[in-house]
C-alpha cells in the first residue's frame, strides 16, 4: 500500500500555469500506475490524466489534452501534473490516485484505482 499526499495547488489567473505534485510513501511506487482526478462543486469526479508505472504511456481526459502533462519520477516516488493555459473551468479539488495494475494503458474510472490522496485545491480566476 501507499500513502499519497498532493501539493502545489493554489490560486492562479486564467492563462497561467501551475504544477501539482503527489508524493507517495513506500517502496512499491514504481509498480503502480498513477492518475489524477478532479472534482468541482456539484459535479462528478472527473478523470484528468494517467501514467503507467514505467512512465511509458500517458492518457488524458479530453478537457485537458494539449494543456496538461502528467509525469513521474520513480526515484523520488513522485508524480506531477503540469497544468498550462488554465481556465476557470479547471477549478476543482485535484486528487492523485494509485492503480496496482501498473501496466494498464487506460483506466478512467475511479474504481480502477486502489489508493487516493486527500486532494489539493486549484482555483482559476477569470
Amino acid at each position: 500500500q501507499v500513502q499519497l499526499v498532493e501539493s502545489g495547488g493554489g490560486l492562479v489567473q486564467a492563462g497561467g500555469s501551475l504544477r501539482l505534485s503527489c508524493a507517495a510513501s513506500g517502496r512499491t511506487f514504481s509498480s503502480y500506475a498513477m492518475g489524477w482526478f478532479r472534482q468541482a462543486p456539484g459535479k462528478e469526479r472527473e478523470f484528468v490524466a494517467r501514467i503507467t508505472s514505467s512512465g511509458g504511456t500517458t492518457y488524458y481526459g479530453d478537457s485537458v489534452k494539449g494543456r496538461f502533462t502528467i509525469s513521474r519520477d520513480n526515484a523520488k516516488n513522485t508524480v506531477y501534473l503540469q497544468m498550462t493555459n488554465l481556465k476557470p473551468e479547471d477549478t476543482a479539488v485535484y486528487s492523485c490516485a494509485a492503480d496496482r495494475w501498473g501496466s494498464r494503458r487506460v483506466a478512467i474510472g475511479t474504481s480502477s484505482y486502489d489508493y487516493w490522496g486527500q486532494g489539493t485545491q486549484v482555483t482559476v480566476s477569470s
Side-chain angles (χ1 to χ4, degrees):
Q1 296 187 357
V2 296
Q3 303 291 323
L4 306 174
V5 180
E6 301 94 338
S7 62
L11 176 65
V12 64
Q13 293 184 344
S17 300
L18 204 62
R19 189 179 79 158
L20 306 182
S21 298
C22 174
S25 65
R27 297 187 180 276
T28 58
F29 173 79
S30 62
S31 70
Y32 297 118
M34 298 295 297
W36 285 97
F37 289 77
R38 66 187 184 184
Q39 188 167 28
K43 295 185 178 180
E44 294 292 317
R45 185 170 291 182
E46 177 188 20
F47 170 78
V48 174
R50 176 182 173 88
I51 187 167
T52 53
S53 58
S54 68
T57 302
T58 58
Y59 186 78
Y60 298 92
D62 289 341
S63 63
V64 305
K65 286 180 180 177
R67 299 188 299 120
F68 291 10
T69 302
I70 188 171
S71 62
R72 67 191 297 159
D73 186 339
N74 285 347
K76 296 182 178 180
N77 275 22
T78 302
V79 64
Y80 305 95
L81 185 68
Q82 179 66 52
M83 305 182 292
T84 62
N85 191 25
L86 284 161
K87 304 174 180 179
E89 53 262 43
D90 295 319
T91 296
V93 174
Y94 285 71
S95 301
C96 68
D99 175 12
R100 290 177 293 178
W101 191 347
S103 62
R104 180 164 52 177
R105 293 177 59 254
V106 179
I108 65 172
T110 58
S111 63
S112 295
Y113 296 82
D114 303 288
Y115 311 107
W116 292 81
Q118 295 300 304
T120 186
Q121 176 71 47
V122 172
T123 302
V124 184
S125 63
S126 300

